[in-house]
Amino acid sequence: MTTQIMLVPGFWLGAWAWDEVVPLLRAKGFDVTSLTLPGLDGSGADVGPGEQADAIAAALDRDADRRVLVVHSGAAVPGTVVLDRHPDLVDHVVFVDTAPVVDGFAMNAELDTPTLPIEAAWDEEYEGGSMRDLTEEQLATFRSRAVPQPGRTVTEPVRLTDPRRLAVPGTVVCTAFSSDDYRSYAEQGVPFLAGLRDHTALRLVDLPTGHWPMWSRPAELADLIAEAAAG
């Protein structure tokens, strides 16, 4: 049986973000693809969640017996759109320190610049603990290779219409916050986690580290992804 694992990084990142995870999953026998989303390839393309979702859907292998979509951080936005447009195309979804979004969600509708560069968020992310467990070398690589996030991916609300997306099996890997915190914040109405209240087939697991576990704990993250992929 062929199982494709599609790895999609979050804001500012390209396929390279998964370089440490890819060989670990391939060694376990999976067909692994890491994807650079439109607008994050250095082209400066003006794209929104819909265009990014189209790219994810196009890269999923229709001939595979099983398809596992792994989305990190802000990639949950186009990832959820894929579930809504193609609920039968994803057999399992893994949310890495993120969660499915709800209809009408926008990351920051008030952003008034054409892009969101990493410099605009660096201090807040660092001081808030998101970069926990990253080495100075990893931080330097992150900062030097980060690409400005297209503004429309931040400001444009998603449109979700197919309730079948709510039943797609999934795993939420909770890193910067615990699974108990995730559930609590969702019940409190935190917008980015609101989808946790609606999706009916999600399992939450803990991997205590920062927001970028593909760098801080790649082996452990690969094991959790492999477990989800194996069903």
Side-chain angles (χ1 to χ4, degrees):
M1 184 176 80
T2 303
T3 298
Q4 181 197 29
I5 297 178
M6 169 70 65
L7 302 170
V8 187
F11 277 16
W12 309 296
L13 303 175
W16 64 269
W18 298 99
D19 282 354
E20 292 185 63
V21 175
V22 168
L24 297 172
L25 290 171
R26 286 181 177 159
K28 298 176 185 293
F30 296 108
D31 175 14
V32 185
T33 304
S34 54
L35 185 67
T36 296
L37 289 171
L40 293 168
D41 54 3
S43 67
D46 179 25
V47 298
E51 291 94 334
Q52 291 190 333
D54 287 341
I56 295 172
L60 288 167
D61 184 359
R62 270 66 173 174
D63 294 326
D65 298 297
R66 183 171 167 80
R67 289 165 295 271
V68 178
L69 175 62
V70 181
V71 290
H72 167 251
S73 190
V77 180
T80 306
V81 175
V82 172
L83 299 184
D84 187 70
R85 293 179 179 176
H86 310 279
D88 297 328
L89 191 56
V90 178
D91 297 285
H92 197 99
V93 57
V94 179
F95 295 95
V96 179
D97 209 33
T98 190
V101 298
V102 297
D103 180 51
F105 176 84
M107 192 70 71
N108 180 3
E110 298 179 358
L111 180 74
D112 58 1
T113 55
T115 65
L116 177 65
I118 184 61
E119 290 77 14
W122 187 270
D123 290 345
E124 181 180 356
E125 296 286 352
Y126 187 86
E127 293 167 6
S130 291
M131 297 175 182
R132 171 185 166 192
D133 298 334
L134 297 183
T135 66
E136 290 301 319
E137 181 179 1
Q138 288 171 326
L139 290 170
T141 298
F142 183 8
R143 197 157 199 166
S144 67
R145 298 194 66 176
V147 175
Q149 187 71 23
R152 281 178 51 214
T153 66
V154 182
T155 62
E156 194 169 291
V158 298
R159 292 292 171 244
L160 306 171
T161 61
D162 193 335
R164 291 182 297 165
R165 75 182 182 279
L166 304 176
V168 175
T171 301
V172 179
V173 181
C174 306
T175 66
F177 298 94
S178 71
S179 55
D180 287 341
D181 286 337
Y182 259 54
R183 293 186 182 95
S184 176
Y185 295 151
E187 290 304 318
Q188 293 171 39
V190 172
F192 193 62
L193 299 176
L196 293 177
R197 296 177 299 183
D198 300 326
H199 284 247
T200 60
L202 296 179
R203 170 177 174 252
L204 277 64
V205 298
D206 290 312
L207 179 62
T209 187
H211 185 57
W212 288 273
M214 65 278 281
W215 302 333
S216 60
R217 298 187 66 178
E220 294 92 334
L221 179 59
D223 286 344
L224 289 173
I225 293 171
E227 181 182 345

